[in-house]
Amino acid sequence: MDSQHVDLDPVRDLLEHLEARDEFSGVVVISQGGHELLASAHGYANRAWGAPVTRGTRFDTASITKLFTAMATLQLVEGGAFALDTSTIDYLGLAGTTISPAITPYHLLTHTSGIADDADEEEGERYEDLFVDRPNYAIRQTRDFLPQFAHKPPTFAPGQGCRYCNVGFVLLGLMIERATGTTYREYVTDQVFSRAGMARSGFFSMDVVEPDVAEGVEAIRDAAGVVTGWRRSVYSYPPIGSPDGGAHVTADDLIAFHRAIVDGRLLGSELTAELLSPKERHSAVADGEYLTGYGFEFITDGAGRVQRYWKEGVNVGTSAMLRHYPVVDMTLAVLAVGEESAMHAVGAVDRAVRGES
């Protein structure tokens, strides 16, 4: 395969097939070297009213929000507010919890803190189950998350393992708020979204009407797998985005965010390079090594070369992906309704990059 040419016809065919079967509602945008290769919108942003997805539809990004938190954290490190090796607990004054004072922003960014998560996704726990006994609408501010994890026993000592952890980014959000004297959402809106040219992005509350925002739903299926209805996700996570998930963006804004990173418009050259480099080994995978970084996750080949880096987001009613393939300088943004929907398109693009039919 030519190192720069990727045949995207199979991706287009798959998206048309999925839309015809009512199995994909979302937006896919692919760029290469700053030039758009593909952009398409499919399905329904709101099923109750039959409102179609458009390229301007804003979607819940779930955990892709962690990239915005990582960027804000590194901006403050660059500005001297705190360091990557600052004690998070000392900085926040959270003595008396089970969170070790040895934990630093480095540990939180790379998922090596050992903090027990509020919902351990690696153990198959469901985030929405947190709200069976506690109303999700009680969690609006970053500090409201603390009771869900601050007194749970850790899973390992800081730096002695690598395990995906949502609440590490909640602690980073608290550090951002302490350093700036403003809310996490205000800082990210001003210093990440605005500076990256993400004009359509924001944090939108479920109980406030906001135009062009897709409604998160999941299919209800009978015993034979036939769709009999749709379930809204309004009880499945907090009502407004937080440092670990829930920002709303367009696919074009995700592409703009990645471009702002590589162009050095959000960080200086040193920390930009660090953000785009793997840091900690998580596990072996079929085609190499899976490593974590400062928000992004990476696959490297046997020679340690980065084959792709990404951040995905999955929650009830939504799924999303921002992925870059350095070997062909190609960036993919997928935003979709449904927690499994985005991965169909991602798999098709992965195969196209590898030259597989």
Side-chain angles (χ1 to χ4, degrees), residues 249-293:
V249 309
T250 66
D252 287 308
D253 276 359
L254 271 188
I255 296 290
F257 174 66
H258 183 262
R259 177 53 55 187
I261 293 173
V262 299
D263 286 349
R265 287 187 277 120
L266 297 176
L267 287 171
S269 58
E270 182 178 348
L271 279 179
T272 294
E274 290 298 309
L275 177 65
L276 298 177
S277 302
K279 297 291 178 288
E280 298 285 342
R281 182 182 185 275
H282 182 279
S283 59
V285 293
D287 53 350
E289 297 281 341
Y290 165 36
L291 302 100
T292 61

Side-chain angles (χ1 to χ4, degrees), residues 113-263:
S113 70
I115 296 171
D117 217 341
D118 51 2
D120 192 335
E121 293 176 310
E122 291 204 10
E123 286 296 318
E125 294 180 3
R126 298 279 293 174
Y127 191 65
E128 63 180 337
D129 291 341
L130 293 173
F131 308 115
V132 172
D133 299 316
R134 183 187 186 197
N136 63 331
Y137 56 78
I139 303 174
R140 287 187 174 269
Q141 305 304 320
T142 309
R143 64 181 178 272
D144 295 337
F145 287 84
L146 285 170
Q148 297 180 171
F149 69 92
H151 297 283
K152 295 176 71 173
T155 57
F156 54 81
Q160 299 304 304
C162 188
R163 190 179 186 87
Y164 192 87
C165 183
N166 288 297
V167 298
F169 283 74
V170 170
L171 292 176
L172 290 172
L174 289 170
M175 294 184 76
I176 291 164
E177 291 182 341
R178 185 184 185 281
T180 63
T182 188
T183 69
Y184 163 81
R185 292 188 282 267
E186 289 171 334
Y187 180 86
V188 168
T189 299
D190 291 341
Q191 298 301 319
V192 180
F193 294 163
S194 293
R195 287 173 58 182
M198 302 169 66
R200 298 274 292 154
S201 298
F203 295 89
F204 308 134
S205 183
M206 292 181 188
D207 56 359
V208 175
V209 174
E210 187 71 31
D212 302 324
V213 172
E215 181 180 53
V217 297
E218 294 291 344
I220 300 171
R221 300 179 184 273
D222 63 18
V226 176
V227 175
T228 60
W230 300 89
R231 175 171 70 99
R232 290 188 170 109
S233 60
V234 293
Y235 299 120
S236 300
Y237 43 87
I240 190 167
S242 58
D244 66 334
H248 288 80
V249 309
T250 66
D252 287 308
D253 276 359
L254 271 188
I255 296 290
F257 174 66
H258 183 262
R259 177 53 55 187
I261 293 173
V262 299
D263 286 349

Side-chain angles (χ1 to χ4, degrees), residues 39-59:
S40 59
H42 308 267
Y44 297 100
N46 182 292
R47 286 187 172 273
W49 296 100
V53 169
T54 70
R55 190 163 170 176
T57 300
R58 282 91 70 87
F59 293 80

